[in-house]
Amino acid sequence: MRLLERARKEWFMVGIVVAIGAAKLEPSVGVNGGPLKPEITVAYIAVATIFFNSGLSLKTESADSRLHATPCVFCRDFNQGSWWK
């Protein structure tokens, strides 16, 4: 029971070990042009996932203040831009 508790606590490391073992046993899955299409998944999906996770970790107070500032800056730039016409 102690080993199962430890595996649940260290689930990320267990997942990494399983992924490395699977890659060692069947490397053709991750090769360029293979079923995972790493030229697409790494370039776009993985990067988007990283930025999405980073956005989820932001505090809501800082996100609210940025959302409030964006329309104000837009209105200021729009109004000043129309002065010159």
Side-chain angles (χ1 to χ4, degrees), residues 23-85:
K24 181 74 173 170
L25 293 174
E26 194 62 41
S28 64
V29 173
V31 72
N32 278 346
L36 286 182
K37 304 276 189 234
E39 59 275 2
I40 295 171
T41 55
V42 172
Y44 299 106
I45 298 171
V47 172
T49 303
I50 290 168
F51 277 104
F52 180 72
N53 284 338
S54 297
L56 289 178
S57 67
L58 288 175
K59 293 181 181 178
T60 57
E61 293 85 19
S62 64
D64 288 341
S65 66
R66 288 186 187 146
L67 289 174
H68 175 71
T70 304
C72 296
V73 171
F74 173 73
C75 292
R76 178 185 56 98
D77 289 342
F78 178 74
N79 289 337
Q80 287 179 353
S82 61
W83 289 349
W84 305 109
K85 291 184 179 177

Side-chain angles (χ1 to χ4, degrees), residues 11-26:
W11 63 270
F12 188 72
M13 290 302 290
V14 171
I16 288 176
V17 168
V18 169
I20 291 172
K24 181 74 173 170
L25 293 174
E26 194 62 41

